[in-house]
Amino acid sequence: MIRLYDTNKRAKVDLIPREAGKISMYVCGPTVYNRIHIGNARTFISFDMIRRYLEWSGFEVTFVQNVTDVDDKIIARALEEGRSAADVAEEYTAAFIADMHAAGVADPTIRPQATEEIDTMIALVETLIEKGHAYEVDGDVYFNVRSDARYGHLSGRKIDEMEAGHRALRAEGQGLEDRKRDPLDFALWKAAKPGEPSWESPWGPGRPGWHIECSAMSQKYLGLPFDIHGGGADLVFPHHENECAQSECACEGQFARYWMHSGMLRINSEKMSKSLGNFMLLCEVLEDARPQALRMLMLQTHYRSPLDFSTERMAEADAALSRIETALENMRWLCATSLSDAPQVLDAARIESFVQTAREGFRSAMDDDFNAPAALGCIFTLVNQMNTATSGRSLSTRDAEQVVKASDCITELLGVLGIRLEDRDDASIEYPPETIALAYEFAGYGGHDATEAVEALIEARAQAKAERDWNTADAIRDNLIALGFVIEDTPQGAKVTYEG
Ligand SMILES: [Zn+2]
């Protein structure tokens, strides 16, 4: 049974989907006026990890994520740059998708765009007016917050406290529209101002408010109540509170069964902000960091806790990832060079129990509110156990079977977290073309394939050593080293790796 922390209940609860074996999930997407920053990336990577785990656990997940492609910020940017809002939105939608792919975040099942769903939003606003929860003033439509007796239940805020805040604001004269009947009310539909993108509506030309978008699109694609609504913790109020109020007033039922929120990201222990000059875009971070290492860093902190991002932590995460990669490479090497007639040196039952303990530990950590740091801990334990068990050993074919099970387990569990290891298999490595001439010289190789050439050189060197022709053996070795190869002589022969 998976348990998750529900923001609405303020407790960990059992995840019981509305339909057995299926999970419907909505995560608020980006407003496309800029490249996304590393804090947004944390939200999307967190929910990608959650979704992957749900799928691995056997659920069929329908994951909907909107793109907000009409908004004040998009319009402002378009004016600044002298182009259309649609043009700005198109550019940054494409950039967002590219950034997500670069970060290894899987595409949502459905990615609706706000501007394609205006009719659905208008229909929802009409329902709210009919039911007495919204009213029109000069082409704007507002949600009447006081008409919703449950308003504030998600964020745990009391209407009277909110009102005091608004009164203070008004006293300072910080431009609250006088059109609203109550300062707490928020816009569902905004009348068009000259030069802004607009759509026809029963209230005249205008555009939807931000909150109504998510209410309309989640209901359309998932039906109500859907299982999980997610987003960054900064969205709880007012965005999610407002989504919830609109949808529950319109449908007179429940909107989302569970609310999940990922924690904030800080840079060097400070809040990230443009004014502090520590604002980082995801695409900038990925110029210097491997995406798997970034994900490793992010998953080393529980998704709900504040996450500290720094270049030091990035380097540590990369080093942790490299330790796993090196261990897996060693295991592959040991298996590739195992001999059928060698004596068995590993205790098969012991290796099996390492693997089983890792799997069980991983599952119980993830079942407990997606505790990825603990799940990673289980993977690292298995890596260390396998390093110790195989260190300095020559394996038999039977041993290799156990080692393969362990390395497959490590790769699989990392994959569940969305950490896809680089394939460092020989086949994927491009060797320098100089190896072909070298192989011709030392091994009489007549082909044009660098991988074959390297194999021929390794064999020629082994042959030379067997014939005690040290000059040739050393010449081959030195030439390979000069080209960027690393050669380790082991009891099972030479282990050659290319570092480039
Ligand atoms: Zn939303």
Side-chain angles (χ1 to χ4, degrees):
M1 175 65 78
I2 296 174
R3 288 172 67 74
L4 56 82
Y5 184 87
D6 181 4
T7 310
N8 190 38
K9 297 225 166 63
R10 291 163 187 75
K12 268 189 211 173
V13 294
D14 290 345
L15 171 61
I16 302 164
R18 68 176 173 189
E19 196 181 333
K22 292 184 180 178
I23 297 278
S24 44
M25 196 169 168
Y26 186 90
V27 174
C28 298
T31 300
V32 282
Y33 70 103
N34 199 352
R35 299 297 284 262
I36 64 160
H37 59 69
I38 188 81
N40 298 140
R42 187 198 183 188
T43 303
F44 301 137
I45 288 174
S46 297
F47 284 99
D48 184 63
M49 170 273 288
I50 289 166
R51 172 206 191 163
R52 285 172 192 270
Y53 182 68
L54 290 170
E55 286 177 339
W56 185 71
S57 300
F59 289 105
E60 187 188 309
V61 178
T62 305
F63 187 99
V64 177
Q65 183 173 56
N66 66 308
V67 170
T68 299
D69 59 351
V70 56
D71 178 87
D72 291 341
K73 289 177 188 149
I74 299 171
I75 295 168
R77 178 148 202 158
L79 280 173
E80 238 172 72
E81 296 178 358
R83 51 183 174 145
S84 73
D87 199 34
V88 170
E90 195 182 326
E91 177 185 339
Y92 290 106
T93 302
F96 169 69
I97 293 171
D99 282 349
M100 289 293 91
H101 289 172
V105 173
D107 283 333
T109 323
I110 306 163
R111 185 170 0 237
Q113 287 179 279
T115 55
E116 304 285 323
E117 309 284 345
I118 304 286
D119 291 348
T120 320
M121 297 174 210
I122 290 175
L124 187 54
V125 175
E126 283 183 306
T127 305
L128 286 167
I129 294 176
E130 273 162 35
K131 294 195 174 179
H133 293 291
Y135 57 92
E136 191 228 327
V137 184
D138 300 337
D140 287 344
V141 181
Y142 295 99
F143 183 83
N144 177 358
V145 166
R146 284 182 186 281
S147 75
D148 176 14
R150 299 181 70 233
Y151 191 83
H153 72 87
L154 177 66
S155 59
R157 294 180 189 222
K158 298 207 168 59
I159 280 204
D160 294 333
E161 288 165 12
M162 287 184 232
E163 199 188 21
H166 279 271
R167 260 202 307 273
L169 271 181
R170 184 178 271 180
E172 287 169 31
Q174 290 192 8
L176 277 160
E177 310 93 323
D178 290 329
R179 302 167 139 196
K180 295 194 275 188
R181 289 182 195 161
D182 188 316
L184 295 178
D185 295 350
F186 57 88
L188 299 173
W189 186 263
K190 299 175 180 180
K193 295 191 192 107
E196 286 185 358
S198 67
W199 289 263
E200 280 310 317
S201 82
W203 320 285
R207 61 191 164 93
W210 175 34
H211 316 302
I212 198 75
E213 251 186 53
C214 289
S215 284
M217 292 192 262
S218 56
Q219 175 170 6
K220 176 173 171 180
Y221 291 104
L222 296 171
L224 299 188
F226 57 88
D227 292 313
I228 297 174
H229 194 314
D234 55 333
L235 294 186
V236 177
F237 189 87
H239 183 53
H240 288 165
E241 190 72 64
N242 291 353
E243 275 187 36
C244 191
Q246 296 160 165
S247 294
E248 297 199 337
C249 285
C251 79
E252 298 180 41
Q254 195 182 23
F255 176 43
R257 295 155 54 85
Y258 304 95
W259 286 88
M260 296 181 73
H261 292 98
S262 58
M264 295 292 91
L265 177 141
R266 297 182 302 213
I267 300 210
N268 298 318
S269 311
E270 279 179 326
K271 190 175 190 275
M272 179 171 60
S273 75
K274 285 211 169 94
S275 55
L276 285 172
N278 62 1
F279 201 80
M280 291 175 101
L281 299 178
L282 171 63
C283 56
E284 293 169 341
V285 171
L286 289 181
E287 275 171 24
D288 304 319
R290 295 194 283 163
Q292 311 93 305
L294 175 64
R295 188 175 285 243
M296 174 73 81
L297 180 156
M298 293 217 170
L299 300 186
Q300 282 169 339
T301 300
H302 189 273
Y303 79 90
R304 282 194 290 119
S305 304
L307 182 144
D308 274 312
F309 184 88
S310 64
T311 31
E312 293 76 40
R313 285 206 64 202
M314 199 61 247
E316 283 163 23
D318 193 271
L321 188 65
S322 296
R323 278 203 300 281
I324 300 180
E325 286 166 332
T326 305
L328 287 172
E329 211 168 273
N330 284 336
M331 286 190 236
R332 255 201 302 273
W333 159 253
L334 287 171
C335 293
T337 54
S338 63
L339 298 170
S340 56
D341 52 1
Q344 213 171 321
V345 292
L346 299 180
D347 179 345
R350 203 157 150 258
I351 305 286
E352 243 161 55
S353 93
F354 290 161
V355 172
Q356 204 185 333
T357 308
R359 275 185 183 280
E360 285 168 5
F362 178 89
R363 194 181 277 279
S364 71
M366 292 297 283
D367 278 352
D368 181 16
D369 196 25
F370 309 95
N371 190 343
L376 278 171
C378 298
I379 298 172
F380 274 108
T381 303
L382 178 59
V383 168
N384 293 338
Q385 287 168 329
M386 291 309 295
N387 275 344
T388 311
T390 58
S391 165
R393 298 288 176 88
S394 296
L395 302 189
S396 71
T397 326
R398 297 274 303 279
D399 292 322
E401 284 168 20
Q402 296 306 320
V403 173
V404 166
K405 277 185 202 160
S407 71
D408 284 353
C409 175
I410 293 164
T411 313
E412 181 189 349
L413 298 183
L414 285 171
V416 176
L417 299 176
I419 300 173
R420 214 177 60 83
L421 296 177
E422 266 161 53
D423 193 355
R424 291 211 258 174
D425 273 348
D426 293 349
S428 70
I429 297 173
E430 282 202 25
Y431 294 134
E434 293 90 330
T435 51
I436 295 170
L438 206 60
Y440 176 74
E441 185 187 340
F442 286 101
Y445 173 70
H448 302 282
D449 183 285
T451 306
E452 283 176 14
V454 171
E455 281 165 12
L457 283 165
I458 295 169
E459 208 178 301
R461 178 167 172 260
Q463 181 78 29
K465 281 171 84 174
E467 290 165 5
R468 309 180 75 80
D469 174 2
W470 309 118
N471 286 342
T472 304
D474 290 351
I476 293 173
R477 185 196 61 202
D478 295 346
N479 275 293
L480 282 171
I481 290 172
L483 289 175
F485 287 85
V486 175
I487 301 169
E488 276 173 77
D489 286 305
T490 77
Q492 287 157 290
K495 183 182 176 190
V496 178
T497 42
Y498 181 56
E499 308 266 297

